[in-house]
Amino acid sequence: MLQLLKLAWRNIWRKKRRSIIAISSIAFAVIISVSLRSLMLGNYDKMIEAGVKTTGFIQVHANNYWKDKSINDLMSDDEQIKNKLNSVEGIQRIMPRLQNMALATGENTSKAVIVNGLLPEKEDEFTNLSNRLVKGSFISEDSQDVVISEGLARYLKLNVADTLVLIGQGYHATIAAGKYVVQGIVRLANPQMNLLNIYMPLTVAQEFATAQGLVSAYMLDIKNEESAGEIQTKLKSALGTDYEVMTWNEMLPEIKNSQRVDTTIFTMLASCLYLIIGMGLIGIILMMALERKREFAILQAIGLQKSQIQSVIIYEAFILGIVGIAVAFAIAVPFVLYMNANPIPLTGDSGKSFEAMGVEPVLQLGVKPKLFALMAFIIFCITLVATIFPMLSIKRLKISEAIK
Amino acid sequence: MTSKLAWKNIWRNKTRSFVFIAAATIGFAMALFTLNSMKSIAEQRLSDAINIQTSFIQVHKKGFMDDKEITFTIPQSEQVISKLKSIAGIHTIAKRISANAVVASPENNIACEIKGIVPNEENQISVLKDFLIEGEALNEEQTLPILVSKRTAEKLKLKLESKVIVTLKSAGGEIVGGAFRVAGIFVTPSTPYDEGTVIARFNDLKELSGIVEPHELAIKVEDPSIIADVMTAITSSLSSDYEVSDWKYLLPELFAFDGFINMVGVLFTIIIILGLGFSLMNTMNMIVQERTKEIGMLRAIGQGKWSVFNMLLKESGLMMMVGASTGILLGLVFISLASESGIRISDDLGFLGIRPIIYPKINMSLVVMIVIMATMLTVVISALPATKALRIKANEALKD
């Protein structure tokens, strides 16, 4: 077999140009598809990262809360439910929240806002909201003041130490009204969110909505990202039908949906590319066999078995494939690794549209070994198909006719 | 002369040429189809936003677009409107109040934008009435009517004739509230618009809030192609107290999306053509090798170096162009079929304002772009093997 391999290797380099074209075309297809896909997958990871920061990995609500987020669908924040939550392994942090909509008024203007009641210290470890402070200081647990988002502060013309008035609807159709001092201003990445959010300690939010002791959601941080589904199932059985348990996936379907669209576009492009390159490759390998009919006939005449000749053809095809893949990996792997560690920052409009989705404005390539394996596998299959016709032609080879 | 020769040469090896042209056809067809579909999606999204939400041009008080403050109403709006009516090309001018409000029912409440519109003009500018699934559009006869989206109706558990309380800040600075009745329920392709907008009558809001002047004038033009001219005419007839914006400025994300799609399209096309380029290079390589003798002979009888080069270039160019033409034709056929039956994309792209089914429209500028890219790249790609032919010396080639 070694001899046949040597033969195959030498045969390939007899026609240097053609072999180089074949190898380059394979390398081209693999490098392009791997790079593009790595970019898409890396971006996807960044979107998940950003999304999870806002919703947590898992959230627990009263049954049916999430669909309409009614201020009437609240849960009692008591020991019972906390014990049940703690009984499931893998949960790192439990963050209670009370969310409500309200009208915020400044000097001359008013705006609809989202009021977020939370436990400042506990949440901050997870969301790092205090890092986004641009003015003032962050609220603490026993604060009576609030932190508002930058766009909102500008719209209402409020600064640190100014008073904010909030009016809305509270629990069970009570009127929610209150005056609060602005303790700090944060800048949120998403321009819409930046215009909408107010953060206050949980107890203050509960007073505002006349919902003492009640929460709208528990945000959960888990140790292992992959186990979100598992933990969700365990929580569902521990809590029963009065509650709903949702993963970030279910709360942010936009992420999965955009990913689906991207994947469709990529699949179309990649199929097109591999189809074209594949046809070229099949053509090349076919030519490599057909043009050497005389040579094969002579080899057979001097004693080489047909099966051995077929093996040589197969080896030739696969060597082209493997060398092509090797060249592609030699270029693509360091490239992807480097880009993964050094993402390109996006400026201008494209950067802004990323930030609008709350995603860090960078071109991030993800490192996905499975991707490389898949592309190599595709090339492997193409090469296999390419050898079929040459095999058949050799089988039918008649020495007497070919040698003429 | 060389072209005729080139054409004949292609067909000397039918199989080889056919294989390449087939690959090229598939590549170009897929490229055109995908690009056109993506472009149609972007265009549909844009036209929905323009026709339902903003219209083509809007006039505001200067500074309104920054934070959309409720105090920035258009000064002397009636005079402005009569002044603008005389400008050629303007179809309708509709005035609107735009304020932040909380809309509440006993079940729930939402924070949203409430638009106060004048039914007569508004119905000529906005196609929202086509998206009503229940009830009717606003008119002058109803009592305190309000239009809400299906999403809002579900959230607040509303039906037709349900009562809602709208709370907002008045012109004087106090919080005021008033009751409205649901007169119609709509569903537009844009989920964010649906969730954040309710529509009432201008006069009703005026009475409730004391806001007398509108915040925006939405302007529909006779034909989209004259927008720039109309804008210039409007800007010159108004003082600097006002700002005039067109849809590009009003819907910046959609405009940016359009540019993004174009970029993706060019990238896609380049990649496919480069892929084909490898096949082309290989084919040309084989041809030059096979015909060394023939090329030598041509040189011997006096054909110039560059003439031969030219001929080979033309051969590869012709193959690529034949492939491109059949590919583009095939792609156009697919697009026409799809524009009849529609392409089903996801149901869940409402957050981007994309409809679940699109009917692509043939976009000739894409065809032009593809042809240009194909031509440019073909010249570059086929130059390589053709240069080898330049080096063929007549005497060596004719040996043996």
Side-chain angles (χ1 to χ4, degrees):
Chain A
M1 183 183 107
L2 196 57
Q3 265 202 326
L4 294 177
L5 266 175
K6 264 197 197 167
L7 202 60
W9 177 261
R10 287 200 199 137
N11 279 335
I12 290 182
W13 296 114
R14 275 161 61 188
K15 294 273 174 103
K16 237 177 30 167
R17 259 186 170 216
R18 184 167 67 190
S19 302
I20 291 186
I21 291 182
I23 292 174
S24 327
S25 67
I26 295 176
F28 175 77
V30 174
I31 293 176
I32 296 261
S33 49
V34 160
S35 307
L36 271 177
R37 191 66 176 151
S38 298
L39 180 62
M40 290 169 60
L41 293 175
N43 192 35
Y44 186 42
D45 283 344
K46 282 266 166 220
M47 284 174 77
I48 298 180
E49 206 184 284
V52 163
K53 277 246 159 74
T54 59
T55 64
F57 285 97
I58 299 181
Q59 275 192 23
V60 175
H61 322 115
N63 205 14
N64 279 327
Y65 170 77
W66 184 256
K67 186 155 185 290
D68 296 321
K69 303 205 188 60
S70 168
I71 188 65
N72 291 326
D73 289 328
L74 301 179
M75 303 178 285
S76 179
D77 184 18
D78 53 30
E79 286 311 308
Q80 216 187 11
I81 187 170
K82 288 232 190 71
N83 285 337
K84 287 199 186 145
L85 291 176
N86 281 320
S87 70
V88 177
E89 259 197 69
I91 296 178
Q92 210 162 240
R93 203 186 321 259
I94 302 174
M95 295 165 279
R97 279 225 177 175
L98 180 63
Q99 210 180 64
N100 193 7
M101 288 193 127
L103 200 63
T105 62
E107 230 181 83
N108 288 323
T109 47
S110 67
K111 186 106 184 27
V113 295
I114 302 177
V115 177
N116 299 287
L118 41 81
L119 294 178
E121 275 110 40
K122 214 171 199 188
E123 269 219 28
D124 202 41
E125 284 166 13
F126 179 69
T127 60
N128 287 338
L129 195 54
S130 57
N131 278 345
R132 297 182 171 273
L133 270 175
V134 285
K135 279 197 199 148
S137 55
F138 203 64
I139 45 175
S140 62
E141 194 119 359
D142 30 84
S143 212
Q144 290 294 312
D145 305 335
V146 300
V147 165
I148 66 178
S149 57
E150 196 192 17
L152 186 59
R154 198 179 49 211
Y155 186 86
L156 298 174
K157 304 230 190 331
L158 293 174
N159 213 331
V160 176
D162 285 341
T163 312
L164 169 81
V165 175
L166 286 173
I167 297 195
Q169 186 164 309
Y171 187 56
H172 283 165
T174 51
I175 306 236
K179 270 202 297 212
Y180 305 95
V181 174
V182 175
Q183 187 175 339
I185 300 180
V186 287
R187 176 182 296 164
L188 301 178
N190 182 330
Q192 306 279 45
M193 293 315 244
N194 207 21
L195 273 168
L196 275 180
N197 281 289
I198 296 187
Y199 303 94
M200 53 171 67
L202 187 61
T203 38
V204 177
Q206 286 168 333
E207 237 194 86
F208 173 68
T210 322
Q212 282 82 349
L214 301 173
V215 293
S216 54
Y218 288 102
M219 261 172 60
L220 304 177
D221 179 18
I222 58 180
K223 289 200 194 108
N224 185 0
E225 279 184 35
E226 323 276 312
S227 57
E230 245 184 78
I231 298 186
Q232 180 190 25
T233 331
K234 290 199 197 141
L235 276 173
K236 276 191 178 155
S237 48
L239 292 170
T241 50
D242 284 335
Y243 298 91
E244 62 184 21
V245 183
M246 300 177 74
T247 57
W248 58 266
N249 220 341
E250 293 162 356
M251 290 185 282
L252 298 167
E254 306 96 57
I255 297 185
K256 261 251 144 65
N257 287 329
S258 332
Q259 177 62 2
R260 252 205 303 209
V261 175
D262 281 353
T263 306
T264 316
I265 296 183
F266 176 76
T267 312
M268 294 199 74
L269 174 61
S271 329
C272 224
L273 191 60
Y274 278 109
L275 193 69
I276 294 174
I277 300 281
M279 284 177 79
L281 205 61
I282 294 178
I284 290 180
I285 294 178
L286 196 62
M287 286 312 301
M288 271 171 31
L290 291 183
E291 74 190 6
R292 284 146 63 189
K293 274 209 178 133
R294 197 157 186 266
E295 178 189 322
F296 295 149
I298 293 181
L299 282 174
Q300 209 183 347
I302 62 173
L304 215 58
Q305 296 296 326
K306 270 205 181 155
S307 59
Q308 288 173 306
I309 299 178
Q310 285 176 328
S311 308
V312 172
I313 300 282
I314 294 185
Y315 292 156
E316 285 174 20
F318 277 100
I319 292 177
L320 279 178
I322 293 176
V323 174
I325 295 176
V327 169
F329 280 14
I331 296 179
V333 171
F335 175 68
V336 170
L337 285 174
Y338 177 76
M339 292 298 295
N340 184 43
N342 305 301
I344 301 181
L346 283 174
T347 48
D349 285 336
S350 8
K352 283 202 215 123
S353 64
F354 269 62
E355 281 181 334
M357 292 189 293
V359 181
E360 210 188 317
V362 292
L363 283 175
Q364 174 79 52
L365 266 71
V367 181
K368 309 277 167 184
K370 276 200 206 153
L371 175 64
F372 288 85
L374 180 64
M375 297 301 152
F377 180 68
I378 295 178
I379 297 288
F380 195 75
C381 291
I382 295 179
T383 353
L384 200 64
V385 170
T387 55
I388 294 180
F389 202 70
M391 293 293 103
L392 289 176
S393 93
I394 290 177
K395 207 161 164 217
R396 292 197 236 119
L397 198 62
K398 282 215 178 106
I399 306 185
S400 44
E401 289 178 13
I403 253 182
K404 271 197 226 141
Chain B
M1 171 64 194
T2 34
S3 322
K4 260 199 189 167
L5 212 57
W7 177 257
K8 288 205 181 132
N9 279 330
I10 293 180
W11 299 114
R12 276 163 64 181
N13 189 330
K14 288 213 186 101
T15 326
R16 192 168 58 201
S17 301
F18 261 127
V19 168
F20 177 79
I21 291 179
T25 307
I26 297 179
F28 280 100
M30 282 199 72
L32 183 61
F33 185 75
T34 315
L35 259 55
N36 205 340
S37 306
M38 297 201 316
K39 206 105 200 323
S40 295
I41 292 180
E43 280 168 357
Q44 176 73 69
R45 192 176 173 221
L46 186 62
S47 94
D48 279 343
I50 292 180
N51 291 335
I52 298 175
Q53 301 173 25
T54 64
S55 204
F56 295 94
I57 302 177
Q58 284 187 7
V59 176
H60 307 107
K61 174 168 177 160
K62 199 162 187 68
F64 176 77
M65 285 305 286
D66 290 334
D67 290 318
K68 303 225 177 131
E69 276 196 42
I70 201 175
T71 49
F72 274 56
T73 52
I74 297 176
Q76 301 159 330
S77 60
E78 288 306 321
Q79 287 165 291
V80 173
I81 293 180
S82 29
K83 217 196 277 189
L84 294 180
K85 273 205 176 127
S86 56
I87 296 180
I90 291 189
H91 184 271
T92 322
I93 305 179
K95 61 180 186 184
R96 299 171 177 164
I97 289 178
S98 185
N100 288 310
V102 171
V103 175
S105 71
E107 290 293 329
N108 205 347
N109 60 346
I110 57 159
C112 61
E113 203 179 335
I114 183 163
K115 293 231 183 254
I117 58 135
V118 179
N120 198 14
E121 274 85 35
E122 185 76 16
N123 286 335
Q124 292 180 50
I125 274 196
S126 162
V127 298
L128 185 65
K129 55 187 184 311
D130 297 336
F131 290 88
L132 285 168
I133 54 169
E134 275 180 69
E136 51 176 10
L138 298 181
N139 55 48
E140 299 295 351
E141 284 82 42
Q142 300 147 326
T143 320
L144 292 172
I146 195 169
L147 297 179
V148 299
S149 70
K150 181 150 169 267
R151 268 301 285 146
T152 309
E154 282 169 2
K155 213 171 181 190
L156 272 57
K157 309 253 189 309
L158 304 170
K159 295 192 296 245
L160 287 181
E161 299 299 313
S162 298
K163 194 164 86 165
V164 293
I165 309 284
V166 172
T167 322
L168 71 161
K169 206 160 198 213
S170 74
E174 318 106 40
I175 304 282
V176 294
F180 288 78
R181 285 206 181 270
V182 175
I185 301 180
F186 59 85
V187 179
T188 73
S190 169
T191 320
Y193 178 81
D194 280 6
E195 288 179 350
T197 316
V198 296
I199 308 185
R201 286 192 307 220
F202 188 96
N203 290 331
D204 295 340
L205 272 190
K206 188 165 97 172
E207 253 197 67
L208 176 60
S209 66
I211 301 172
V212 176
E213 299 278 31
H215 295 95
E216 67 190 21
L217 296 179
I219 301 177
K220 180 171 167 183
V221 294
E222 303 276 4
D223 192 84
S225 54
I226 57 171
I227 290 184
D229 297 324
V230 174
M231 279 211 31
T232 334
I234 298 178
T235 325
S236 50
S237 63
L238 294 175
S239 73
S240 56
D241 277 339
Y242 305 89
E243 59 186 16
V244 187
S245 334
D246 68 359
W247 59 266
K248 291 192 195 116
Y249 188 71
L250 296 165
L251 300 163
E253 314 97 49
L254 294 193
F255 185 51
F257 190 67
D258 222 34
F260 176 70
I261 295 274
N262 283 332
M263 206 183 62
V264 169
V266 173
L267 194 67
F268 205 100
T269 311
I270 292 180
I271 291 180
I272 291 197
I273 297 181
L274 283 179
L276 281 172
F278 282 103
S279 283
L280 191 62
M281 248 206 286
N282 180 49
T283 312
M284 287 313 296
N285 189 42
M286 281 198 285
I287 288 177
V288 170
Q289 271 195 318
E290 277 173 14
R291 287 151 51 181
T292 321
K293 278 222 185 104
E294 178 188 322
I295 294 176
M297 193 191 68
L298 280 173
R299 296 290 312 284
I301 62 174
Q303 191 89 325
K305 254 202 292 187
W306 291 101
S307 199
V308 173
F309 181 79
N310 223 319
M311 183 185 78
L312 290 168
L313 213 64
K314 283 204 176 119
E315 250 182 77
S316 56
L318 270 170
M319 271 203 287
M320 183 67 107
M321 282 309 155
V322 169
S325 320
T326 43
I328 289 176
L329 278 169
L330 190 64
L332 288 175
V333 166
F334 282 153
I335 296 173
S336 325
L337 287 174
S339 47
E340 289 290 313
S341 59
I343 306 176
R344 181 145 252 285
I345 5 174
S346 172
D347 270 334
D348 309 307
L349 293 175
F351 71 98
L352 286 173
I354 297 178
R355 301 191 187 198
I357 306 184
I358 50 141
Y359 298 89
K361 278 194 283 228
I362 294 182
N363 189 328
M364 282 321 268
S365 62
L366 283 176
V367 173
V368 171
M369 187 268 289
I370 291 181
V371 170
I372 294 179
M373 298 257 91
T375 325
M376 283 177 8
L377 288 169
T378 309
V379 171
V380 171
I381 294 170
S382 39
L384 232 60
T387 44
K388 181 149 197 260
L390 284 175
R391 294 193 232 121
I392 295 178
K393 293 212 178 85
N395 50 350
E396 284 180 22
L398 285 174
K399 255 195 259 170
D400 115 300

